[in-house]
Amino acid sequence: MLPLKIVVIGGGAAGFFGAIACAKVNPHAQVTLLEASRQPLAKVRVSGGGRCNVTHACFEAERLVQNYPRGGKALLGAFTRFQAKDTVDWFAAQGVHLKTEADGRMFPLTDSSETIVECLMNAAIETGVELRIGTPVVSVKRQTETTGFEIVLKSREIVKCDRLLLATGSNLAGYKIAQELGHQIEPPVPSLFTFNIPDQKLRALAGISVNPVKLRLSISNKSPIEQTGPLLITHWGLSGPSVLKLSAWGARILHETRYQAKLLINWLPDLRQEQVRQKILAVKTEWGKRPITLHRGVDLPHRLWQYILTRIGITTEDRWAGLSNKTLNRLLGELTQGEYLINGKGVFKDEFVTCGGVNLKEINFKTMESKLVSGLYFAGEVLDIDGITGGFNFQSAWTTAYIAGNAMGISN
């Protein structure tokens, strides 16, 4: 009996993990990995600022899926088969141990993404995966209506296989192949990005962070989206975990509005508005003769406090004793629901995440095999799955690739 011929297109995290899983479950299979570029695992190398945020210390499937704006429902069953704890154990078995940081992100003890790159490369070689780098794929066709694939390379070479795993990430070539094989593609748009805010006085506060804040994305005719967490003021506007999470959940509607939207910021989410009022009134009573700009009464960075005051017209000359009820109410509004204009998006240098990809209804998540084309499998970001920042995108890649690799390797 001839050995199974299996090809994986895409030399990223999902491609390597799927190829390794397949070769392990079926040592007799001929597993070939095709990577278009000269440097496989490029995103792994740069992720997490070069440290590689491998996964997140969230070991319950029900909680884990809550971190995926798209794909969470489909991943629920998949995570019962391979989740973050399994990822930790898999790397430990290869001699790579992970550590958990205060926010739940998990990194290799070495704090170097090269550790993960070397681990995956070595595991692929040890399991007999044939690595072919600098090998772009032009097209994929069925050999017959029911079996096998013919892969046409840019060099015009034709590679034939029995089963095929598409793990091409957000590369447009991968979407094109999937579409040509009959799959529907949800239009890819950016996810995980920062907000450009056209307010020079705010940008002048670059470097100031506040934790927590509550953000509310307000777009007409759309349900508001909210996130709470740390916020960082930058030279172009706003960043930080709360902004990145909001951008992920709002990726589609922000794309539809060309990244023009109203953002409401509650700088003091741990306090009810009446509690904020009482704090300000207490300062007014105690420091009536002092400048408002110098005695803030709420726990905010001093420069941010001064900026907020300028937004409602309070100057360095104004004293607490002269604060009218009308101005007090405006100050409360700025502190708890200040309105900012989003005018475009920036980038988040550590992540390159796309919302969109192969329609999930066309995939069997027990095997990651196409429901439309037998022998065709998918893993990673080529699917319409994306997570928030914190290791969740890698985890969906490990999970879908592991399931796909095992399913592909099992002979009929």
Side-chain angles (χ1 to χ4, degrees):
M1 185 176 174
L2 293 173
L4 268 178
K5 289 186 178 180
I6 293 169
V7 168
V8 177
I9 302 179
F16 266 81
F17 213 65
I20 294 163
C22 184
K24 278 191 174 183
V25 78
N26 187 347
H28 300 294
Q30 293 179 4
V31 182
T32 304
L33 187 150
L34 306 176
E35 164 57 27
S37 74
R38 291 285 176 185
Q39 187 182 61
L41 299 164
K43 190 183 286 191
V44 174
R45 291 177 197 276
V46 300
S47 70
R51 296 168 63 210
C52 190
N53 184 184
V54 177
T55 187
H56 200 95
C58 181
F59 305 128
E60 298 169 17
E62 293 80 3
R63 285 182 54 228
L64 196 52
V65 297
Q66 294 172 16
N67 297 284
Y68 294 87
R70 283 147 295 271
K73 186 178 178 182
L75 284 171
L76 183 58
F79 283 149
T80 64
R81 289 184 282 282
F82 192 92
Q83 52 115 310
K85 180 66 168 64
D86 300 299
T87 300
V88 174
D89 293 342
W90 189 93
F91 279 101
Q94 311 301 312
V96 174
H97 298 280
L98 307 181
K99 61 178 180 177
T100 306
E101 301 204 335
D103 59 3
R105 293 180 301 160
M106 301 192 76
F107 295 89
L109 287 176
T110 58
D111 272 332
S112 172
S113 60
E114 287 302 318
T115 302
I116 304 301
V117 171
E118 289 172 12
C119 172
L120 293 171
M121 292 285 285
N122 291 338
I125 293 166
E126 287 168 9
T127 52
V129 175
E130 181 188 358
L131 302 176
R132 297 187 60 179
I133 61 172
T135 310
V137 172
V138 174
S139 65
V140 176
K141 296 177 182 177
R142 292 288 269 171
Q143 282 183 258
T144 71
E145 287 186 10
T146 56
T147 60
F149 300 89
E150 287 188 354
I151 301 161
V152 181
L153 306 182
K154 190 176 182 180
S155 63
R156 297 186 181 179
E157 177 188 351
I158 294 176
V159 178
K160 296 182 179 182
C161 65
D162 302 302
R163 295 171 189 173
L164 174 66
L165 173 60
L166 269 186
T168 46
S170 56
N171 190 304
L172 295 178
Y175 297 141
K176 179 173 176 283
I177 291 169
Q179 205 164 27
E180 287 174 350
L181 289 170
H183 277 275
Q184 180 184 336
I185 305 299
E186 300 300 323
V189 301
S191 182
L192 287 184
F193 48 83
T194 58
F195 295 159
N196 290 344
I197 309 290
D199 182 335
Q200 294 303 325
K201 290 182 179 178
L202 177 68
R203 294 177 178 187
L205 304 179
I208 288 178
S209 61
V210 183
N211 184 21
V213 302
K214 185 174 183 178
L215 303 180
R216 181 183 176 99
L217 194 61
S218 179
I219 298 174
S220 60
N221 303 322
K222 303 286 185 181
S223 298
I225 303 171
E226 296 182 347
Q227 283 293 329
T228 301
L231 177 141
L232 173 67
I233 300 173
T234 69
H235 292 293
W236 60 86
L238 299 173
S239 184
S242 60
V243 169
L244 296 172
K245 288 177 184 178
L246 195 65
S247 77
W249 289 98
R252 286 228 174 272
I253 60 173
L254 282 166
H255 179 75
E256 290 169 10
T257 64
R258 298 184 179 182
Y259 306 100
Q260 309 288 315
K262 186 167 66 176
L263 181 70
L264 300 178
I265 303 181
N266 182 350
W267 298 100
L268 302 165
D270 291 338
L271 299 174
R272 297 190 305 276
Q273 192 173 69
E274 186 54 35
Q275 290 176 306
V276 179
R277 181 187 295 275
Q278 293 305 319
K279 280 180 171 288
I280 290 175
L281 288 174
V283 176
K284 181 180 179 181
T285 300
E286 185 175 356
W287 302 100
K289 294 182 180 180
R290 300 292 179 87
I292 299 172
T293 54
L294 299 180
H295 298 271
R296 53 192 183 277
V298 292
D299 188 18
L300 286 176
H302 184 63
R303 287 171 59 216
L304 177 60
W305 169 256
Q306 291 181 322
Y307 162 77
I308 288 171
L309 294 179
T310 64
R311 281 173 63 92
I312 60 171
I314 292 177
T315 70
T316 54
E317 304 299 319
D318 292 318
R319 301 292 194 264
W320 275 111
L323 184 70
S324 67
N325 285 335
K326 182 179 179 180
T327 305
L328 170 61
N329 288 333
R330 289 177 63 201
L331 177 56
L332 284 172
E334 277 297 327
L335 290 169
T336 59
Q337 50 184 3
E339 191 174 305
Y340 297 80
L341 176 67
I342 297 172
N343 184 21
K345 66 175 179 62
V347 296
F348 180 44
K349 60 179 171 43
D350 290 342
E351 299 281 351
F352 311 92
V353 175
T354 301
C355 152
V358 175
N359 188 305
L360 303 186
K361 292 178 182 177
E362 300 171 350
I363 309 297
N364 177 357
F365 270 74
K366 290 182 179 178
T367 61
M368 302 312 300
E369 186 176 14
S370 165
K371 292 178 181 178
L372 310 179
V373 184
S374 61
L376 175 63
Y377 296 77
F378 295 91
E381 204 184 340
V382 69
L383 295 160
D384 186 20
I385 294 174
D386 62 288
I388 61 174
T389 183
F392 299 104
N393 287 293
F394 271 134
Q395 184 54 52
S396 63
W398 309 132
T399 294
T400 53
Y402 182 84
I403 293 172
N406 277 274
M408 283 193 304
I410 298 171
S411 300
N412 290 338

